Amino acid sequence: MVVPAPPDAARELFGSTLPKAEAYAGLLAGAGVERGLVGPAEAGRIWERHLVNSGLVACLLPQAEQTADPIELADLGSGAGLPGIVLAILRPDMAVVLVEPMARRTAFLAECAEKLQLRNVQVRRGRAEDLRGQIHADVVTARAVARLDRLAVLAAGLARPGGLVLAIKGASAGAELDQARPLLGRIGATDVELMSVGAGVVEYPTTVISFRTARNAQHEGRS
């Protein structure tokens, strides 16, 4: 399928990394559609709806710290790599773990990482529940994975104490957050915020619910 030229917003967002973003857009619209990871109708709006939508989250990521180890980001239920691969392109200084249980998706993710030469990407096949305690990410991202009341518990299991969770949501974000607030309190989440990233800059701003995980063990895993 023919991928549209990147819009101005994508050119500004990706800057010098635009060639890799374009290559990834081609993979999504090609093999991604052929393997059923991306709907055929999405190819024509791959930039605005997917790559830019995911990439806007980069402004919420912490900056590199003065430590020997890079900041680790875990993308929960990575699917076709949104937002994980996009963020790996934009932030080569971060170690990105793509967490995905389905074999055909992990195969596609591994191929993307190889073809795009993303040396900062690792693919982990498995459910978040099974990988709990094996991954201790500074940041956990998720896009179209589960409702917030379930997602919060899954994400907290992959984050270090006090880690940042960024959940990309749609029109129901406010309602989801209202429903999940009691659960967020029980698991010790702090700094809970609903925000719109890119408003006034792009046609489709990215809606994000962010929070910090519990900083002490007594809250972990409660639901």
Side-chain angles (χ1 to χ4, degrees), residues 47-100:
W47 286 104
E48 292 87 349
R49 290 289 193 179
H50 299 291
L51 273 74
V52 172
N53 178 264
S54 296
L56 287 170
V57 176
C59 70
L60 304 177
L61 300 177
Q63 295 303 306
E65 300 174 345
Q66 300 300 314
T67 60
D69 297 323
I71 296 171
E72 181 173 307
L73 181 149
D75 188 33
L76 171 59
S78 196
L82 300 164
I85 286 182
V86 173
L87 297 178
I89 290 172
L90 287 168
R91 290 291 301 271
D93 60 306
M94 298 186 77
V96 177
V97 183
L98 306 178
V99 178
E100 171 57 49

Side-chain angles (χ1 to χ4, degrees), residues 14-197:
F14 287 98
S16 62
T17 66
L18 183 63
K20 283 194 176 183
E22 289 182 293
Y24 178 48
L27 290 169
L28 286 174
V33 171
E34 293 167 7
R35 300 183 194 182
L37 304 183
V38 179
E42 299 304 302
R45 53 185 185 179
I46 206 78
W47 286 104
E48 292 87 349
R49 290 289 193 179
H50 299 291
L51 273 74
V52 172
N53 178 264
S54 296
L56 287 170
V57 176
C59 70
L60 304 177
L61 300 177
Q63 295 303 306
E65 300 174 345
Q66 300 300 314
T67 60
D69 297 323
I71 296 171
E72 181 173 307
L73 181 149
D75 188 33
L76 171 59
S78 196
L82 300 164
I85 286 182
V86 173
L87 297 178
I89 290 172
L90 287 168
R91 290 291 301 271
D93 60 306
M94 298 186 77
V96 177
V97 183
L98 306 178
V99 178
E100 171 57 49
M102 295 186 64
R104 65 187 178 92
R105 293 178 179 173
T106 55
F108 177 76
L109 293 172
E111 289 173 21
C112 287
E114 180 180 2
K115 290 180 179 179
L116 299 174
Q117 298 184 337
L118 296 175
R119 297 180 177 85
N120 59 328
V121 167
Q122 176 189 4
V123 180
R124 291 285 299 271
R125 183 184 174 192
R127 301 188 311 157
E129 299 94 319
D130 299 329
L131 295 174
R132 181 182 180 86
Q134 298 181 40
I135 296 174
H136 305 279
D138 301 287
V139 183
V140 178
T141 57
R143 182 178 189 260
V145 173
R147 288 186 61 84
L148 185 62
D149 51 4
R150 172 166 169 74
L151 174 63
V153 175
L154 297 176
L158 302 179
R160 65 168 175 78
L164 177 65
V165 177
L166 300 172
I168 300 177
K169 288 293 182 178
S172 65
E176 283 190 43
L177 178 55
D178 289 342
Q179 183 177 4
R181 283 191 185 278
L183 179 280
L184 292 171
R186 290 197 297 273
I187 66 173
T190 62
D191 304 330
V192 180
E193 188 173 357
L194 172 63
M195 63 189 79
S196 181
V197 186

